[in-house]
Amino acid sequence: MKTEMVAMILAGGQGTRLGKLTKNMAKPAVPFGGRYRIIDFTLSNCANSGINNVGVVTQYQPLALNSHIGNGASWGLDGINAGATILQPYSSSEGSKWFEGTAHAIYQNISYIDQLDPQYVLVLSGDHIYKMDYEEMLENHKRNNASLSVAVIEVPMKEASRFGIMNTDDNNRIIEFDEKPEEPKNNLASMGIYIFNWGRLRSILTSSYAKDSSMNDFGKHVIPAYLDSGETVVAYRFDGYWKDVGTIDSLWEANMEFLRPDMELNIRDKAWRIYSKNPISPPHFVTETGSAKNSLISDGCYIAGDVDHSVLSDDVQVKEGAKITDSVIMSGATIGKNVSIHKAIIGEDAIIGDNAVIDGTEEIAVVGYSEVIGVTVDED
Amino acid sequence: MRTNKMCALVGNLHRYDDLLPLTANRPLSTLPFDGKYRLLDFNLSSIANANIKSLFMVFNEGETQSVFDHIGGGKEWSLDGIQNRFFIHIYQDFIRRADNNSSYYDLVIDYLKKSKSEYAVYMGSKILVNIDLRALLHIHQAHGNEMTVVYKRVPKDLLYKEDIIIKLGEDNLIEKKALVKNAEVQDVANLCTDIFIIKTEKLIEILREKQSENVLGNVESFLRERISKDTYAYEYTGYLNNIYDIPSYYKANMDMLDTQKFNSLLYSSQKVYTKLKNEVPTYYSETSVVNNSQFSTGCMIEGNVEDSIIGRGSDIAEGAKVSGSLIFPSNTIKANAEVSYAILDKNIVVEEGVKIVGTPEKPVVVKKGTHVTADIIGG
């Protein structure tokens, strides 16, 4: 069967606003919601939408991301005529190919897309938490005979100036695009999700790079060029839960929202599962001294302290007397005796020594991966 | 280790009627254990951890749905690798195909030959261990006896009537063996775990011999018979349990609430693998009260849980009380229901306010898929 649409996930961003959490790890690989990494939502959306070929464009600190994605088997992307492919910058006879921007990253991987010869290319970013049926977006794209579809979501008017804002006509055709406008005309923000007719995009990119390399970025260059040349650019409205987790505050907030059993994302919906690479650990253990309330807890945890309104990933140890509230604890972390943690994000394999106090009341506290806080006592 | 040094055979032919109704449609080896595992996972993980790439399993007819569902392509235990081969056979099929049951022998011999392995390991299904089979191979090679059998010193109350106990002679060779039901058992005995290692060639020879005698049997019974003064006994020192009836099954699970035993079985240097489910983390509400219990992923816990093990994807509603119980996956325990000292098989709904009460010695067992609308008081 011919590949109708290929997804390209742009996962190369450095995510500097996540500080310690992205020091040695690409943003899409940052753990989220107990069992997941941020990119799992996008990858699962692809798998659930029936997109079998996914290119993941990486650049910055890709080790954790690469080992997480592997051949895509965790999302069922390893079947016949399917595959997840990690696309790293590489050097060629024309020089090295570091990605200069979103559109440039697609241009540099033309040979990957050509080899699959799709009709459409779906461009996604790997750092949003949401569930979306891309097949429905493609149907909409075809119905409108669009050359480019841009997924848009209504954002609060006061935040609109942080986004690329689309101005549309009555038929949802985009007539104007303002990248981060000071005075937005409306609140329809681009989600950074695009469907392109591949033939058209390919020729625009190749002719641009043959001339002056002016098409580095989708928002800044490609979309305006499409509008200028009168292509049919259509807005696809999305109204579900969608969260950018690009900052410590928003990452913490999204985790806290994820905790609510009635949250809009409905992660328990078996018809649209969020898949991830599963490490295998035994069931988690709540001992006689431990308690768990308003919390999400994953496999392999050992809870001898009190956990309230928090998200715990796999294999977290919470020792006696420890109190964890309003926090996110990533996998493999050890929380010592009588430790108090409030409003914090604790990185993978961090060790918090006995009696330490981590208080993020003023500003969300962050402990990095494998960071050691306080004095740790060697047992056994 | 070279990939074809050992091949493995796993037997599941005994039917344990004392485990009914839990074993009505599944072999002992696919009984759930500790919330998210099946007993078979321990065998398969030991085999995977020893880098054994060739596996032969036999089950009884009518019991295979859970086997196929659980093992699937065998990915989780890396049975799907390019060098791997694994076979699942149905015993009755062998017998039907030839009245002199030669097809059983032919298939096993054919498997053993094609494995190109020097040694064959056999594991039964009712003894729960997490064993390093490479260490077993080294010991066997170092002593050069015909066969090595794994044993453990266990208290008398852990023994089943059909188990073999052994008496050790000089140099850890076996002096005497006896079935428990025919022996005078001391307080502590050497339990034969039905884990054997023998040269593949030798096993083929034994099978050919039995075939020519036209005997109806299976690999396990032949190896048990073969235990002799030329059999080396290798002591297993890790966690072991013996599962053959409801109380022994219940106790083995409850052992996992003992941190030391839990760590010994599940946090040894050898990881235990099981089927992946992609469940969400378990959610605890404001109203949950939990104490000394284990929980798999995908659960919603709003009620009280004490001294219990909860399987994947089970919901315990507000006001419900669960204590001293094994809750298999996909159960729903509604508001104010009470479940104590019970084993709830899969897909059970316990209606609001209903009581299921057993005793630690005699837990109440509720059949798979039951909708419980009236109290069950047992014990």
Side-chain angles (χ1 to χ4, degrees), chain B residues 92-115:
Chain B
Q92 286 72 14
D93 197 36
F94 293 134
I95 298 173
R96 256 196 310 271
R97 265 193 280 168
D99 46 343
N100 63 358
N101 65 70
S102 70
S103 68
Y104 173 72
Y105 292 103
D106 290 343
L107 258 162
V108 182
I109 291 168
D110 189 48
Y111 161 76
L112 289 169
K113 278 187 170 167
K114 284 184 181 158
S115 77

Side-chain angles (χ1 to χ4, degrees), chain A residues 33-36 71 73-74 78 258-261 267-268 270 273-302 308 312 314-315, chain B residues 34-37 75-76 256-259 262 266-267 271-300 307 309-310 312-313 315:
Chain A
R35 302 209 78 174
Y36 311 97
N71 66 349
S74 301
D78 60 338
F258 196 70
L259 258 180
R260 295 197 328 264
I267 46 160
R268 285 165 195 276
K270 301 229 156 127
R273 275 180 197 257
I274 303 303
Y275 300 97
S276 186
K277 187 179 171 193
N278 281 284
I280 296 185
S281 291
H284 62 262
F285 203 149
V286 184
T287 70
E288 292 191 353
T289 57
S291 76
K293 285 186 193 294
N294 303 312
S295 292
L296 281 176
I297 300 184
S298 314
D299 280 339
C301 291
Y302 185 85
D308 190 9
L312 269 61
D314 290 297
D315 303 319
Chain B
D34 195 27
K36 66 180 288 190
Y37 301 98
K75 190 184 193 68
E76 286 87 345
M256 294 300 104
L257 296 178
D258 175 329
T259 310
F262 173 63
L266 288 160
Y267 281 103
K271 241 184 147 171
V272 183
Y273 305 96
T274 188
K275 187 179 178 185
L276 295 177
K277 287 275 189 171
N278 273 291
E279 286 287 4
V280 296
T282 281
Y283 176 74
Y284 294 86
S285 77
E286 178 69 42
T287 52
S288 77
V289 179
V290 290
N291 207 340
N292 191 39
S293 296
Q294 281 180 24
F295 301 85
S296 312
T297 42
C299 299
M300 291 277 276
D307 306 324
I309 294 172
I310 314 296
R312 283 164 164 172
D315 293 349

Side-chain angles (χ1 to χ4, degrees), chain B residues 91-352:
Chain B
Y91 186 66
Q92 286 72 14
D93 197 36
F94 293 134
I95 298 173
R96 256 196 310 271
R97 265 193 280 168
D99 46 343
N100 63 358
N101 65 70
S102 70
S103 68
Y104 173 72
Y105 292 103
D106 290 343
L107 258 162
V108 182
I109 291 168
D110 189 48
Y111 161 76
L112 289 169
K113 278 187 170 167
K114 284 184 181 158
S115 77
K116 307 274 185 233
S117 59
E118 200 177 343
Y119 297 93
V121 171
Y122 176 86
M123 305 179 91
S125 59
K126 86 179 174 24
I127 293 195
L128 171 66
V129 290
N130 181 357
I131 188 174
D132 179 355
L133 296 172
R134 274 182 283 204
L136 175 63
L137 172 68
H138 293 147
I139 290 286
H140 180 68
Q141 286 174 322
H143 290 85
N145 300 101
E146 181 191 81
M147 183 165 83
T148 297
V149 59
V150 179
Y151 78 97
K152 184 176 170 73
R153 282 174 65 74
V154 300
K156 188 180 178 175
D157 61 4
L158 213 63
L159 300 172
Y160 177 57
K161 58 184 195 273
E162 305 289 345
D163 286 332
I164 287 180
I165 51 173
I166 54 178
K167 196 174 164 204
L168 302 180
E170 257 173 64
D171 301 328
N172 261 31
L173 291 175
I174 291 177
E175 194 176 298
K176 251 173 81 181
K177 65 169 174 188
L179 279 179
V180 169
K181 63 182 177 195
N182 303 330
E184 262 197 40
V185 186
Q186 311 289 312
D187 289 346
V188 178
N190 294 325
L191 167 68
C192 161
T193 60
D194 289 330
I195 299 173
F196 303 91
I197 184 164
I198 187 167
K199 276 225 156 121
T200 307
E201 254 169 49
K202 189 73 206 172
L203 181 56
I204 293 173
E205 194 185 307
I206 295 170
L207 287 164
R208 286 215 193 289
E209 211 173 280
K210 293 290 174 188
Q211 185 172 24
S212 68
E213 289 167 15
N214 210 357
V215 186
L216 182 72
N218 57 62
V219 173
E220 181 172 296
S221 63
F222 304 148
L223 292 174
R224 281 176 146 219
E225 205 178 300
R226 197 79 185 181
I227 297 176
S228 70
K229 293 204 161 110
D230 192 23
T231 303
Y232 186 81
Y234 169 68
E235 186 176 8
Y236 167 75
T237 52
Y239 176 86
L240 174 146
N241 222 312
N242 195 3
I243 293 167
Y244 49 87
D245 61 7
I246 298 288
S248 64
Y249 172 70
Y250 174 77
K251 272 191 215 128
N253 275 282
M254 285 300 155
D255 266 3
M256 294 300 104
L257 296 178
D258 175 329
T259 310
Q260 211 183 337
K261 291 175 176 167
F262 173 63
N263 288 342
S264 166
L265 184 66
L266 288 160
Y267 281 103
S268 76
S269 55
Q270 301 216 113
K271 241 184 147 171
V272 183
Y273 305 96
T274 188
K275 187 179 178 185
L276 295 177
K277 287 275 189 171
N278 273 291
E279 286 287 4
V280 296
T282 281
Y283 176 74
Y284 294 86
S285 77
E286 178 69 42
T287 52
S288 77
V289 179
V290 290
N291 207 340
N292 191 39
S293 296
Q294 281 180 24
F295 301 85
S296 312
T297 42
C299 299
M300 291 277 276
I301 310 295
E302 296 167 282
N304 297 28
V305 181
E306 193 175 40
D307 306 324
S308 296
I309 294 172
I310 314 296
R312 283 164 164 172
S314 285
D315 293 349
I316 297 172
E318 201 175 327
K321 282 194 169 65
V322 176
S323 63
S325 294
L326 303 180
I327 310 298
F328 285 14
S330 310
N331 279 323
T332 306
I333 298 173
K334 295 199 177 168
N336 305 315
E338 193 183 319
V339 178
S340 59
Y341 302 110
I343 301 174
L344 268 53
D345 205 326
K346 290 169 80 173
N347 306 318
I348 287 168
V349 178
V350 181
E351 272 306 324
E352 283 186 22

Side-chain angles (χ1 to χ4, degrees), chain A residues 170-248:
Chain A
D170 295 343
N171 300 317
N172 274 328
R173 198 171 153 165
I174 296 171
I175 44 176
E176 207 180 341
F177 173 81
D178 293 335
E179 179 72 17
K180 298 182 181 159
E182 269 175 42
E183 280 174 33
K185 292 184 191 146
N186 69 53
N187 63 342
L188 272 189
S190 164
M191 299 164 73
I193 298 171
Y194 314 111
I195 291 177
F196 288 97
N197 291 352
W198 174 233
R200 186 77 191 119
L201 177 65
R202 192 185 190 288
S203 82
I204 286 178
L205 288 177
T206 45
S207 60
S208 152
Y209 280 96
K211 282 195 307 231
D212 54 1
S213 315
S214 59
M215 289 279 175
N216 277 342
D217 190 84
F218 283 118
K220 286 195 203 100
H221 313 119
V222 178
I223 298 176
Y226 263 71
L227 292 174
D228 284 349
S229 60
E231 299 278 335
T232 312
V233 183
V234 169
Y236 174 73
R237 283 169 186 260
F238 177 78
D239 61 0
Y241 181 89
W242 181 73
K243 187 103 181 174
D244 181 289
V245 285
T247 63
I248 294 291

Side-chain angles (χ1 to χ4, degrees), chain B residues 71-84:
Chain B
I71 299 179
K75 190 184 193 68
E76 286 87 345
W77 306 269
S78 75
L79 294 171
D80 65 339
I82 193 102
Q83 301 98 346
N84 278 77

Side-chain angles (χ1 to χ4, degrees), chain A residues 5-6 8 113 118-123 194-198:
Chain A
M5 183 158 76
V6 172
M8 297 290 281
I113 302 172
Q119 221 171 331
Y120 306 99
V121 168
L122 168 66
V123 177
Y194 314 111
I195 291 177
F196 288 97
N197 291 352
W198 174 233

